[in-house]
Amino acid sequence: MKQIVIYKSRTGFTKKYAKWLAQSLNCECIPQEDVGGERLSDYDVIIFGSSFRAGNVEELKWYKETILPFEKTNVLFVTGAMPPSSADAVKSIEQQLGKGEDREVKVFYLQSGLNYEAMNLGDKLMMKVFCKMMKSRKAHSEEEKALFEQMQKSFDVCEKANLEPMLNYIQGL
Ligand SMILES: Cc1cc2nc3c(=O)[nH]c(=O)nc-3n(C[C@H](O)[C@H](O)[C@H](O)COP(=O)(O)O)c2cc1C
């Protein structure tokens, strides 16, 4: 099976996971911005890595319009700052993919972190507003408090081991 990993990354986390994945699969890995000239019909499995941004999956419209029409085996992974247990992330990604997609997409969520140093000014401001809003809400659990504390600064919880379920799935195809 010929595989390719395509990723969209602003602050580096999705790129890091994409590179690790491609290394394990021994396949090509390219940024979304370079997809134009690629002949995607040559591949059997197309893996796209994206991230959460204010609850939305980055470049999902592009993914649906550009990648899904190739009718390949599709795998989508999305990175985010939230712990995998907290937000029911996979369900949210599947909902955003939407009904009416007749081609199946296997979805994975990978916790990554936040990289304030690599964010642009607009994103830094957005995160500041988000953290303030969260802080002002009452009745947090200890877990939530720890999470909001963590989200005020950069952190990186990317681990190669988080890729295992996705690797097992792809290698089992
Ligand atoms: C403006 C902004 C909004 C974000 N929104 C979410 C979110 O809704 N859920 C989440 O889990 N992470 C969120 N994050 C964290 C990113 O999804 C996370 O850092 C991701 O791995 C970034 O990927 P990249 O480094 O490849 O660009 C947000 C980050 C920024 C800067």
Side-chain angles (χ1 to χ4, degrees):
M1 286 248 198
K2 205 171 168 199
Q3 302 139 339
I4 184 166
V5 181
I6 299 165
Y7 63 88
K8 168 69 189 181
S9 187
R10 288 173 186 252
T11 64
F13 293 115
T14 313
K15 180 177 180 179
K16 180 153 67 177
Y17 273 125
K19 295 268 176 198
W20 280 341
L21 183 65
Q23 210 174 36
S24 299
L25 294 169
N26 197 18
C27 74
E28 214 179 321
C29 182
I30 57 168
Q32 178 227 357
E33 293 81 359
D34 290 357
V35 165
E38 293 294 312
R39 291 181 53 237
L40 292 179
S41 48
D42 286 353
Y43 297 91
D44 307 299
V45 183
I46 302 179
I47 303 143
F48 179 52
S50 181
S51 65
F52 270 116
R53 193 173 162 79
N56 296 312
V57 178
E58 277 262 85
E59 298 296 348
L60 198 64
K61 188 170 180 279
W62 172 87
Y63 177 63
K64 287 183 189 180
E65 290 175 359
T66 312
I67 303 298
L68 294 185
F70 280 95
E71 301 197 31
K72 302 294 179 174
T73 299
N74 291 297
V75 179
L76 170 66
F77 74 86
V78 180
T79 68
M82 297 294 177
S85 54
S86 70
D88 218 354
V90 168
K91 207 182 260 175
S92 163
I93 300 161
E94 282 172 348
Q95 268 168 4
Q96 291 181 47
L97 267 171
K99 291 196 181 94
E101 291 299 332
D102 45 3
R103 284 168 297 278
E104 205 180 306
V105 180
K106 182 72 179 171
V107 168
F108 294 89
Y109 173 71
L110 302 174
Q111 193 188 11
S112 54
L114 284 170
N115 185 349
Y116 280 96
E117 289 73 29
M119 279 179 211
N120 62 33
L121 195 62
D123 283 357
K124 277 185 196 160
L125 279 172
M126 215 156 124
M127 287 308 301
K128 215 172 194 159
V129 171
F130 175 75
C131 289
K132 230 180 185 163
M133 210 173 73
M134 287 297 155
K135 253 188 154 173
S136 68
R137 283 199 346 209
K138 291 190 178 86
H140 289 314
S141 66
E142 284 307 309
E143 200 186 357
E144 280 175 322
K145 271 189 207 157
L147 178 67
F148 300 140
E149 201 59 47
Q150 186 179 43
M151 289 190 61
Q152 289 173 57
K153 41 193 187 308
S154 292
F155 69 98
D156 181 347
V157 292
C158 293
E159 279 182 48
K160 271 188 183 171
N162 294 342
L163 287 169
E164 255 163 47
M166 182 164 39
L167 261 174
N168 289 339
Y169 173 79
I170 296 167
Q171 283 163 343
L173 285 168

